[in-house]
């Protein structure tokens, strides 16, 4: 029998029947389980909002908030307790539906106390295991820097980081869906960095711009593209606008992946994980006949959907503050305090360009603030930021150097060797300048 202590299960009983409440409290106490009871679900909910509880044992039918209503509210908690429903015989079908909605178990009246105790103990173990796994995912996020790469505390962003942590170690193909500017390549790079192939190359490919005659080299599907590595990650971006003839070649790449032996060397071809991304709904494209069904089903083993910024209201101000701080440090000035009008403008904007647009707005705000003017509203509209050269020679050199490097990266679609050659510098020098100038390549492509 369990003994009451800090680690003993904590149970909340909710039942409008006074004799049932008292009976359950006595039985649970004798079984070594801490328990408190409430006659109304509304009263229990106020306690549950401020206290960590392992299990809620609730009657289904009660005056006011029912057990099913309570289950629905608890499901919105970040760490919800497990819910056991006590049901009359006629409520069994309802209880089964409740289990589909998230209840852990149900016990039909009249019930054996041992049956209830066994269910509570299983619920406690299950709930604590879920919390431990969530804590491990949180630790992995902090260790991997996911929370600093994919910034935000909205439920959608928390879920996104959890999904990345969960599937990073898998070899399954992942299809990343999201609007332009949501950070699809950031997600792909995070999956690569956290996965077992992180020591190999990450090869991004823009499927909309692959010349058919250079297909094999352009997609990095020959061993040379992986620089002799045995494994790596192939990232197929802009998949939704991939020409039909290239789609057929991509299917061949997937079938080829790691299976054939190269005839010229007699060695096995590199085995790479395939990640892909699109800002279009590919299932719709398949139904319309614009995308190959067989290719779609080879790439969508796991689907990650990135929420648009307009659906992440709680994150907008946080992201804006982060980006403004970044650019203020880059340009060597103090961070401007946002006004009420600034926050109102940020929250009311549609953000069709998503996080990428917000980052550009933050940079425009800082460029204007260096001369003591401007607002978030003007930055969103694109007004009042660069109408004169930066005030000092150091700032002017850094500004124009940043513009040149960014343009070269954009012009060569992220091919760093080509960008370095166009700038007349070495690849290593280009990498150093990217870090020094605070350039984010994901914002340019």
């Amino acid at each position: 029998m369990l003994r009451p202590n800090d680690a003993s299960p904590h149970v909340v009983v909710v039942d409008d029947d006074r004799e049932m409440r008292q009976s359950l409290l006595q039985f649970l106490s004798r079984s070594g389980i801490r328990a408190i009871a409430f006659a109304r679900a509304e009263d229990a909910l106020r306690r549950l909002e401020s206290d960590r509880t392992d299990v809620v044992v609730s009657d289904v039918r009660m005056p006011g908030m029912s057990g099913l209503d309570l289950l629905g509210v608890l499901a919105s908690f970040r760490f919800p307790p497990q819910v056991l429903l006590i049901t009359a015989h006629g409520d069994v079908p309802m209880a089964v539906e409740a289990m589909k909605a998230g209840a852990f178990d149900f016990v039909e009246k009249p019930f054996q106390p041992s049956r209830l105790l066994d269910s509570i103990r299983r619920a406690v173990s299950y709930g604590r295991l879920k919390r431990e796994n969530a804590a491990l995912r949180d630790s992995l996020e902090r260790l991997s820097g996911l929370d600093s790469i994919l910034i935000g505390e909205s439920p959608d962003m928390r879920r996104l980081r959890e999904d990345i942590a969960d599937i990073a170690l898998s070899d399954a193909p992942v299809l990343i869906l999201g609007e332009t500017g949501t950070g699809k390549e950031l997600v792909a790079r995070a999956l690569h960095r956290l996965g077992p192939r992180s020591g190999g190359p990450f090869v991004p490919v823009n499927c909309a711009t692959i010349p058919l005659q250079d297909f094999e080299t352009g997609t990095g599907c020959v061993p040379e593209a992986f620089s002799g590595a045995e494994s790596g990650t192939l990232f197929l971006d802009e998949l939704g606008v991939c020409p039909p003839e290239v789609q057929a070649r991509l299917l061949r790449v997937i079938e080829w992946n790691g299976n054939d032996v190269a005839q010229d060397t007699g060695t096995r071809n590199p085995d790479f994980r395939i990640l892909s991304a699109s800002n279009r709904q590919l299932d719709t494209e398949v139904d319309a006949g614009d995308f190959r069904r067989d290719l779609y089903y080879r790439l969508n083993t796991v689907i990650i959907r990135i929420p648009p910024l307009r659906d992440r209201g709680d994150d907008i101000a946080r992201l804006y503050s982060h980006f403004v701080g970044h650019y203020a440090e880059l340009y060597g000035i103090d961070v401007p305090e946002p006004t009420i009008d600034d926050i109102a403008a940020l929250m009311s904007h549609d953000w069709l360009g998503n996080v990428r647009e917000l980052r550009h707005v933050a940079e425009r705000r800082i460029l204007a603030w260096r001369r003591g003017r401007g607002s978030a509203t003007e930055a969103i509209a694109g007004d009042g930021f660069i109408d004169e050269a930066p005030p000092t020679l150091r700032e002017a050199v850094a500004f124009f150097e940043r513009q040149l490097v960014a343009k070269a990266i954009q012009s060569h679609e992220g091919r760093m060797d080509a960008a370095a050659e166009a700038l007349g510098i070495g690849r290593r020098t280009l990498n150093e300048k990217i870090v020094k100038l605070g350039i984010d390549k994901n914002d340019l492509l």
Side-chain angles (χ1 to χ4, degrees), residues 153-205:
E153 294 303 320
S154 62
D156 283 343
M157 289 306 294
R158 286 181 176 274
R159 192 176 305 113
L160 176 61
R161 293 195 296 265
E162 290 174 358
D163 288 345
I164 291 171
D166 284 342
I167 66 176
L169 296 178
S170 168
D171 278 336
V174 179
L175 175 59
I176 305 165
L177 299 176
E179 296 178 3
T180 298
T182 49
K184 295 185 289 296
E185 185 168 341
L186 278 178
V187 170
R189 289 184 179 275
L191 287 168
H192 170 72
R193 184 161 55 85
L194 295 177
R197 303 169 189 268
S198 58
F202 178 89
V203 181
V205 176

Side-chain angles (χ1 to χ4, degrees), residues 206 209 402-423 430 439 441 443-445:
N206 188 327
T209 60
R402 187 173 188 275
Q403 297 296 102
L404 287 172
V405 170
K407 183 178 179 180
I409 294 173
Q410 285 180 316
S411 299
H412 293 86
E413 299 173 348
R415 297 190 299 275
M416 303 306 290
D417 289 333
E421 183 178 354
L423 291 167
L430 175 59
I439 296 173
K441 292 184 291 184
D443 285 344
L444 305 175
L445 304 174

Side-chain angles (χ1 to χ4, degrees), residues 11 30 33 51 123 161 169 181 195 200-201 229 244 256 277 281 337 347 397 434:
V11 173
R30 290 197 304 269
I33 295 175
D51 190 21
R161 293 195 296 265
L169 296 178
W256 168 95
Q281 293 299 322
E337 287 291 332
M347 299 303 293
V397 170
I434 288 173

